[in-house]
Amino acid sequence: MADFETPELTDEIVVPHIQEGAMEGSGPFIAKPEHQEPLGFPGELVENWQEKAIDKMGELLGKYRSFQVFLDICVKCGACTDKCHYFLSTSDPKNMPVGRQDTLRSVYRRYFTVAGKLFPKLVGARDLTKEVLDEWYNYFHQCSQCRRCSVFCPYGIDTAEISMAAREILDSVGVGQKYCNEIIAKVFKIGNNLGLPEPALRDTLEDLEEEIYEDTGVKVRLPLDEKGADILLITPSADFFAEPHIDGLMGYAKVFHEAGVSWTISSYASEAANFGMFIGSYENMQKVAMRIREAALDLGVKRIVHGECGHAWRVAYSFWNTLAGPWDFLDPNYPVPQHICEFTWDLIQQGKLKFDKSENDHRVVTFHDSCNVARATRMGDKPGGQFEIPRNVIKAVCNNYVDMEEETIRDATYCCGGGGGLLTDDLIELRVKGAMPRMHALNKVMEEDGVTNMAAICAICKSQFTKVLPYYKMPMDMIVSVHQLVSDAIILTGQNEEGGEEAEEEA
Amino acid sequence: MSFLSTAYALLFYVATLILFAGLTMRIIKYARTPAPLKIPTMPAPLTKAGVALRIGREVVFFQSLFRSQKWTWLFGWMFHLALLLAFFRHLRYSMSPDNILWPLVSLEVVQTFGKYAGFAMVAGLLGLLARRIFVDRVRYVSAPSDYLMLLLLLGIAFSGLSMSFVAHTDIVQLKAFVMGLIYFDWQELPASAPLIIHLTLVALLMIIFPISKLLHAPGIFFSPTRNQVDDARERRHLAPWAAALDSTRGNR
Ligand code: SF4
Ligand code: SF4
């Protein structure tokens, strides 16, 4: 399938011995000027890049406490060294969280600390050369910004923060990543990551309405740009076309239908994803987020509900209020934003949804905690709700549920391997390898508990697993959306057992 | 006053100045640098009190490290605890018996624990050093300064222990020297080799503290992933530079 080996799944995940340079030069495609410029970055490597990069680093040190403090306080204890899925699967020491940080910390020390200015060799400080810049590009695009390292670091040092800053520095000197920057430019131009224009979106939604009608005989609507709707649904654009995402979208539609609320999608803000976060650009992240505020105001909605997406839920939950708030024009009785799982779980608790759980009896389901949901957000009103609520929803619609090994779920969850702006084919080796710890845990429950499906609430996780599962000889369609399970089990009011065709005939 | 005593008196003034001025500047820097976004590592506490507890658990028990690597935790925690005990024991050299803390500091337990803590300190440090040398991952991320830091601390511990258990120093005169420093009434420093080594290394530690990774001590309190409250949906969090963007972010 490719010119690398898929890691073998052994009994236990073995912490490998380091292999220096194992993933050297495996960076993703570099952005062309046309991908860079719409984001306000120089088109190609600027002439005085060294000076520019150091200046930018200085600027970020003054703007982000995380960056400043994290660069100073690492004691090189090594506690994080075996916590990154990319290190476990590639053995490259620069994929150990602290190893990754050090590629940048060494330069920080050289230019910004007394010790590094006076005794560079002693404290591992080095000049910023072109080789170092290339190394940054390579290894900061081998970090999915999953924050697993930050859980286990005694000081909470979050390599994701360093990665974001590094990417921002790289962008500022003209060395951006094609995948992320091209996508952000598409959002600015068309409204979503896919570049899906309004007419195409409308067609898709109509097709889905038809599909649900054929299945159930119930006219469930998927409205677009409907002014005056109560709820604006912001969901990743993958939900409009990719499998299994789209089955999740049908699930949300059915839940809204049964809840009897009016809702709409916006063609202007038809994207929950916000890749501005991946590249560490506050300005770009804000620009993307502002589209949602504008859409909410234009449509005159009262609430915002957020679909299944990991990093997007992080931006929404943790950053929207800062970037695009205050949301005082929305109904204060509901959280802004509200996750679709919170929404569905509320209705389930109120007894407003009816399910035929046996519809999912052919499945034994496990749940993959997406890193951004798990380690950067919350659901509900208690810490850890982000773990319980999706599981509660699944258990409400499925009879067979098992968890994977404890050290691989909840806040210790392993990344799917494709987060953080790495979901691109030019990084396929990294993606396949990086999925190893998750595949390992999944394989175990498949063998021991007969698990047939893994549910997720993240568009990136779903796409990534669809792609990498076959490398591990697992069926690609075993990854499902949580609301796909909801969709399969929900009984719509007036639903026809045999489906819509019959209903039509009767009519 | 001998040359030696004068030199060490000056050394300690300089070291103290560097330590406190350096740390203060660093702390001010951390405090002044904004954290524009909410980035607590979740699940995070929903209240400030909860955050205080979270940080407390990290500082007192090294909670995350415990979860992470038991050996590193054991050696690290042992060393830090021992350091604390030794520190308490040393307070009696800088306190006159009429100090309100004197009854506490002079307690038999404080003194005994402090005395034997030196061994725990050495054990912890040796464990950490062994990890640094023998675990390839840790060796890879270690700079010369990381080894030297451990050697420096080991040097302090060994020279200290040797005064307690091998060759006693003139404690009374040492105390006179320290009190002299505090009250600007300089006294002679007992000329004993272990003491001179001990004091030199301690002064060195004080000097490098604010320019080294020892900044983890104040830094942990400023780590946004640990010190932020999980309330992003309820409260709008705005750093000054981010607030300034509010006016340019679009017309609504
Ligand atoms: S766990 Fe934290 S302090 Fe220890 S090496 Fe990793 S980043 Fe540094
Ligand atoms: S954030 Fe995730 S991918 Fe990046 S270094 Fe940490 S564990 Fe690895």
Side-chain angles (χ1 to χ4, degrees), chain A residues 7-61:
Chain A
E8 246 177 85
L9 300 180
T10 45
D11 270 354
E12 289 297 324
I13 300 175
V14 191
V15 179
H17 283 292
I18 61 169
Q19 265 177 51
E20 286 187 46
M23 291 298 277
E24 222 158 63
S26 314
F29 296 155
I30 293 183
K32 298 206 177 73
E34 69 258 34
H35 310 131
Q36 286 282 93
E37 278 147 13
L39 281 66
F41 302 134
E44 51 192 34
L45 186 63
V46 296
E47 240 173 62
N48 52 344
W49 59 268
Q50 198 195 25
E51 190 189 322
K52 273 262 165 77
I54 298 300
D55 284 353
K56 189 75 187 176
M57 191 187 281
E59 181 195 324
L60 296 180
L61 286 167

Coordinates of all heavy atoms in Angstrom, one line a residue, chain A residues 7-61:
Chain A
P7 N 2.7 -0.3 11.7 CA 3.2 -0.9 13.0 C 2.4 -2.2 13.3 O 1.2 -2.3 13.0 CB 2.9 0.2 14.0 CG 2.7 1.4 13.3 CD 2.2 1.1 11.9
E8 N 3.0 -3.1 13.9 CA 2.4 -4.3 14.3 C 1.7 -4.1 15.6 O 2.2 -3.4 16.5 CB 3.4 -5.5 14.4 CG 3.1 -6.6 13.4 CD 4.2 -7.6 13.5 OE1 4.1 -8.5 14.4 OE2 5.2 -7.5 12.8
L9 N 0.5 -4.8 15.8 CA -0.2 -4.6 17.1 C 0.2 -5.8 18.0 O -0.1 -6.9 17.7 CB -1.7 -4.6 16.9 CG -2.2 -3.5 16.0 CD1 -3.7 -3.6 15.8 CD2 -1.8 -2.1 16.5
T10 N 1.0 -5.4 19.0 CA 1.5 -6.5 19.9 C 0.6 -6.5 21.2 O -0.4 -5.8 21.3 CB 2.9 -6.1 20.4 OG1 3.0 -4.8 20.7 CG2 3.9 -6.4 19.2
D11 N 0.9 -7.4 22.1 CA 0.1 -7.5 23.3 C 0.1 -6.2 24.2 O -1.0 -5.8 24.7 CB 0.7 -8.6 24.2 CG 0.1 -10.0 23.9 OD1 -0.9 -9.9 23.0 OD2 0.5 -11.0 24.4
E12 N 1.2 -5.6 24.3 CA 1.3 -4.4 25.1 C 2.0 -3.4 24.2 O 2.8 -3.7 23.3 CB 2.2 -4.6 26.3 CG 1.6 -5.4 27.4 CD 0.3 -4.8 28.0 OE1 0.3 -3.6 28.1 OE2 -0.6 -5.6 28.3
I13 N 1.7 -2.1 24.4 CA 2.4 -1.1 23.7 C 3.8 -1.0 24.3 O 3.9 -0.7 25.5 CB 1.7 0.3 23.8 CG1 0.3 0.2 23.2 CG2 2.5 1.4 23.1 CD1 -0.5 1.5 23.4
V14 N 4.8 -1.2 23.5 CA 6.2 -1.2 24.1 C 6.8 0.2 23.8 O 6.7 0.7 22.7 CB 7.1 -2.2 23.4 CG1 8.4 -2.4 24.2 CG2 6.4 -3.6 23.3
V15 N 7.3 0.8 24.9 CA 8.0 2.1 24.7 C 9.3 1.8 23.9 O 10.1 1.0 24.4 CB 8.3 2.8 26.0 CG1 9.0 4.1 25.8 CG2 7.0 3.0 26.8
P16 N 9.5 2.4 22.7 CA 10.6 2.0 21.9 C 11.9 2.7 22.4 O 11.9 3.7 23.1 CB 10.3 2.5 20.5 CG 9.4 3.6 20.8 CD 8.6 3.4 22.1
H17 N 13.0 2.1 22.0 CA 14.3 2.8 22.1 C 14.3 3.9 21.0 O 13.8 3.7 20.0 CB 15.5 1.9 21.9 CG 15.7 1.1 23.2 ND1 16.2 1.6 24.3 CD2 15.5 -0.3 23.4 CE1 16.2 0.7 25.3 NE2 15.9 -0.5 24.7
I18 N 15.0 5.0 21.4 CA 15.0 6.1 20.4 C 15.8 5.8 19.1 O 16.8 5.0 19.2 CB 15.5 7.4 21.0 CG1 17.0 7.3 21.5 CG2 14.7 7.9 22.2 CD1 17.6 8.6 21.8
Q19 N 15.3 6.3 18.0 CA 16.0 6.1 16.8 C 16.1 7.5 16.1 O 15.2 8.0 15.5 CB 15.2 5.3 15.8 CG 15.5 3.8 15.8 CD 14.6 3.1 14.9 OE1 14.4 3.5 13.7 NE2 14.0 2.0 15.4
E20 N 17.3 8.1 16.3 CA 17.4 9.5 15.9 C 17.2 9.6 14.4 O 17.7 8.8 13.6 CB 18.8 10.0 16.3 CG 18.8 10.3 17.7 CD 20.1 11.0 18.2 OE1 20.5 12.0 17.5 OE2 20.7 10.6 19.2
G21 N 16.5 10.6 14.0 CA 16.3 10.9 12.6 C 15.3 10.0 11.8 O 15.1 10.0 10.6
A22 N 14.6 9.1 12.6 CA 13.6 8.2 12.0 C 12.6 8.9 11.1 O 12.2 8.4 10.1 CB 12.9 7.3 13.1
M23 N 12.2 10.1 11.5 CA 11.1 10.8 10.8 C 11.6 12.1 10.2 O 10.9 13.0 10.0 CB 9.9 11.0 11.7 CG 9.1 9.8 12.1 SD 8.4 8.9 10.7 CE 6.9 9.8 10.4
E24 N 12.9 12.1 10.0 CA 13.5 13.4 9.5 C 12.9 13.6 8.1 O 12.7 12.7 7.3 CB 15.0 13.2 9.3 CG 15.8 14.4 9.7 CD 17.2 13.9 10.1 OE1 17.9 13.4 9.2 OE2 17.6 14.1 11.3
G25 N 12.7 14.9 7.7 CA 12.3 15.2 6.4 C 11.0 14.6 5.9 O 10.8 14.4 4.7
S26 N 10.1 14.3 6.9 CA 8.8 13.8 6.5 C 7.7 14.9 6.5 O 6.6 14.5 6.7 CB 8.4 12.6 7.3 OG 9.5 11.7 7.5
G27 N 8.1 16.1 6.4 CA 7.1 17.2 6.5 C 6.1 17.2 5.4 O 6.3 16.6 4.4
P28 N 5.0 17.9 5.7 CA 4.0 18.0 4.7 C 4.3 19.0 3.6 O 5.3 19.7 3.7 CB 2.8 18.5 5.5 CG 3.4 19.2 6.6 CD 4.7 18.6 6.9
F29 N 3.5 19.0 2.5 CA 3.7 20.0 1.5 C 3.7 21.4 2.0 O 2.9 21.8 2.9 CB 2.6 19.9 0.4 CG 2.6 18.5 -0.3 CD1 1.5 18.0 -0.9 CD2 3.8 17.8 -0.4 CE1 1.5 16.8 -1.5 CE2 3.8 16.6 -1.0 CZ 2.7 16.1 -1.6
I30 N 4.5 22.2 1.4 CA 4.6 23.6 1.8 C 3.6 24.5 1.0 O 3.3 24.2 -0.2 CB 6.0 24.1 1.6 CG1 7.0 23.4 2.6 CG2 6.1 25.7 1.8 CD1 8.4 23.8 2.6
A31 N 3.0 25.4 1.7 CA 2.0 26.3 1.1 C 2.6 27.1 -0.1 O 3.7 27.6 0.0 CB 1.3 27.2 2.1
K32 N 1.8 27.3 -1.1 CA 2.2 28.1 -2.2 C 1.8 29.6 -1.9 O 0.9 29.7 -1.0 CB 1.6 27.7 -3.5 CG 2.0 26.3 -3.9 CD 1.8 26.1 -5.4 CE 2.3 24.7 -5.9 NZ 1.3 23.7 -5.5
P33 N 2.3 30.5 -2.6 CA 1.9 31.9 -2.3 C 0.4 32.1 -2.3 O -0.1 32.8 -1.4 CB 2.5 32.7 -3.4 CG 3.7 31.9 -3.8 CD 3.4 30.5 -3.6
E34 N -0.3 31.4 -3.2 CA -1.8 31.7 -3.2 C -2.5 31.1 -2.0 O -3.6 31.4 -1.7 CB -2.4 31.1 -4.5 CG -2.4 29.6 -4.7 CD -1.3 29.1 -5.6 OE1 -0.2 29.8 -5.6 OE2 -1.5 28.2 -6.3
H35 N -1.8 30.2 -1.3 CA -2.4 29.7 0.0 C -2.1 30.6 1.2 O -2.7 30.6 2.2 CB -1.9 28.3 0.3 CG -2.0 27.3 -0.8 ND1 -1.0 26.5 -1.2 CD2 -3.1 27.1 -1.7 CE1 -1.4 25.8 -2.3 NE2 -2.6 26.1 -2.6
Q36 N -0.9 31.3 1.0 CA -0.4 32.1 2.1 C -1.1 33.4 2.2 O -1.4 33.9 3.3 CB 1.1 32.3 1.9 CG 2.0 31.1 2.2 CD 2.2 30.8 3.7 OE1 1.4 30.1 4.3 NE2 3.1 31.5 4.3
E37 N -1.2 34.1 1.0 CA -1.5 35.5 1.0 C -2.9 35.8 1.6 O -3.0 36.8 2.3 CB -1.2 36.1 -0.4 CG 0.2 36.4 -0.5 CD 0.8 36.3 -1.9 OE1 0.0 36.1 -2.8 OE2 2.1 36.3 -2.0
P38 N -3.9 35.0 1.3 CA -5.2 35.3 1.8 C -5.3 35.4 3.4 O -6.1 35.9 4.0 CB -6.2 34.2 1.3 CG -5.4 33.6 0.1 CD -4.0 33.8 0.4
L39 N -4.3 34.7 4.0 CA -4.2 34.7 5.4 C -3.4 35.8 6.0 O -3.2 35.9 7.2 CB -3.7 33.3 5.9 CG -4.7 32.1 5.9 CD1 -5.1 31.7 4.5 CD2 -4.0 30.9 6.6
G40 N -2.8 36.6 5.1 CA -2.0 37.7 5.6 C -0.5 37.2 5.8 O 0.2 37.9 6.6
F41 N -0.1 36.1 5.3 CA 1.3 35.7 5.4 C 2.1 35.9 4.2 O 1.5 35.8 3.1 CB 1.3 34.2 5.8 CG 0.6 33.8 7.0 CD1 -0.2 32.7 7.0 CD2 0.7 34.6 8.2 CE1 -1.0 32.4 8.2 CE2 0.0 34.2 9.3 CZ -0.9 33.1 9.3
P42 N 3.4 36.1 4.3 CA 4.2 36.2 3.1 C 4.2 35.0 2.2 O 4.1 33.9 2.8 CB 5.6 36.5 3.6 CG 5.6 36.4 5.1 CD 4.2 36.2 5.5
G43 N 4.2 35.1 0.9 CA 4.0 34.0 0.0 C 5.2 32.9 0.1 O 4.9 31.8 -0.1
E44 N 6.4 33.4 0.3 CA 7.5 32.4 0.4 C 8.5 32.9 1.4 O 8.4 34.0 1.9 CB 8.1 32.2 -1.0 CG 8.5 33.5 -1.7 CD 8.8 33.3 -3.1 OE1 8.2 32.4 -3.8 OE2 9.7 34.0 -3.6
L45 N 9.5 32.1 1.6 CA 10.5 32.4 2.6 C 11.0 33.8 2.4 O 11.6 34.1 1.4 CB 11.6 31.4 2.6 CG 12.7 31.5 3.8 CD1 12.0 31.3 5.1 CD2 13.8 30.6 3.6
V46 N 10.8 34.7 3.4 CA 11.3 36.1 3.3 C 12.8 36.1 3.4 O 13.4 35.2 4.0 CB 10.6 37.0 4.3 CG1 9.1 37.0 4.1 CG2 10.9 36.5 5.7
E47 N 13.4 37.2 2.9 CA 14.8 37.3 2.8 C 15.5 37.3 4.2 O 16.4 36.5 4.5 CB 15.2 38.5 2.1 CG 16.0 38.2 0.8 CD 16.3 39.4 0.0 OE1 17.0 40.3 0.5 OE2 15.8 39.4 -1.2
N48 N 15.0 38.2 5.1 CA 15.6 38.3 6.4 C 14.8 37.4 7.4 O 14.5 37.8 8.5 CB 15.5 39.8 6.9 CG 14.1 40.3 6.7 OD1 13.3 39.8 6.0 ND2 13.9 41.4 7.4
W49 N 14.6 36.2 7.0 CA 13.7 35.3 7.7 C 14.2 35.0 9.1 O 13.5 34.9 10.1 CB 13.6 33.9 7.0 CG 14.8 33.2 6.7 CD1 15.6 33.3 5.6 CD2 15.5 32.3 7.6 NE1 16.7 32.5 5.7 CE2 16.7 31.9 7.0 CE3 15.3 31.8 8.9 CZ2 17.6 31.0 7.6 CZ3 16.2 31.0 9.5 CH2 17.3 30.6 8.8
Q50 N 15.6 35.0 9.3 CA 16.1 34.7 10.6 C 15.7 35.8 11.6 O 15.2 35.5 12.7 CB 17.6 34.5 10.5 CG 18.2 33.8 11.7 CD 19.7 34.0 11.8 OE1 20.2 34.9 11.3 NE2 20.3 33.0 12.4
E51 N 16.0 37.0 11.2 CA 15.6 38.1 12.1 C 14.1 38.2 12.3 O 13.7 38.3 13.5 CB 16.1 39.3 11.3 CG 16.1 40.7 12.0 CD 16.4 41.8 11.0 OE1 17.2 41.6 10.1 OE2 15.7 42.8 11.1
K52 N 13.4 38.0 11.3 CA 11.9 38.0 11.4 C 11.4 36.9 12.3 O 10.5 37.2 13.1 CB 11.3 37.7 10.0 CG 11.1 39.0 9.1 CD 9.6 39.5 9.3 CE 9.4 40.9 8.8 NZ 9.4 40.9 7.3
A53 N 12.0 35.7 12.2 CA 11.5 34.6 13.0 C 11.8 34.9 14.5 O 11.0 34.7 15.4 CB 12.2 33.3 12.6
I54 N 13.0 35.4 14.8 CA 13.3 35.7 16.2 C 12.4 36.9 16.7 O 11.9 36.8 17.8 CB 14.8 36.2 16.3 CG1 15.7 35.0 15.8 CG2 15.2 36.6 17.7 CD1 15.6 33.7 16.6
D55 N 12.2 37.9 15.9 CA 11.2 38.9 16.3 C 9.9 38.4 16.6 O 9.2 38.8 17.6 CB 11.1 40.0 15.1 CG 12.3 40.9 15.0 OD1 13.2 40.7 15.9 OD2 12.4 41.7 14.1
K56 N 9.4 37.5 15.7 CA 8.1 36.9 15.9 C 8.1 36.1 17.2 O 7.1 36.2 18.0 CB 7.7 36.0 14.8 CG 6.3 35.5 14.8 CD 5.4 36.6 14.4 CE 3.9 36.2 14.6 NZ 3.0 37.4 14.2
M57 N 9.1 35.4 17.5 CA 9.2 34.6 18.7 C 9.1 35.6 19.9 O 8.4 35.3 20.9 CB 10.5 33.8 18.8 CG 10.5 32.8 19.9 SD 12.1 31.9 20.1 CE 12.1 30.7 18.9
G58 N 9.8 36.7 19.8 CA 9.8 37.7 20.9 C 8.4 38.2 21.1 O 7.9 38.3 22.2
E59 N 7.7 38.5 20.0 CA 6.4 39.0 20.0 C 5.5 38.0 20.8 O 4.7 38.3 21.6 CB 5.9 39.3 18.6 CG 4.5 39.8 18.6 CD 3.9 39.7 17.1 OE1 4.6 39.9 16.2 OE2 2.7 39.5 17.0
L60 N 5.6 36.7 20.4 CA 4.7 35.7 20.9 C 5.0 35.5 22.4 O 4.1 35.2 23.2 CB 4.8 34.4 20.2 CG 4.3 34.4 18.7 CD1 4.5 33.1 18.1 CD2 2.9 34.9 18.6
L61 N 6.3 35.6 22.8 CA 6.6 35.5 24.2 C 5.9 36.5 25.0 O 5.6 36.3 26.2 CB 8.2 35.6 24.4 CG 9.0 34.4 23.9 CD1 10.5 34.8 23.8 CD2 8.8 33.2 24.8

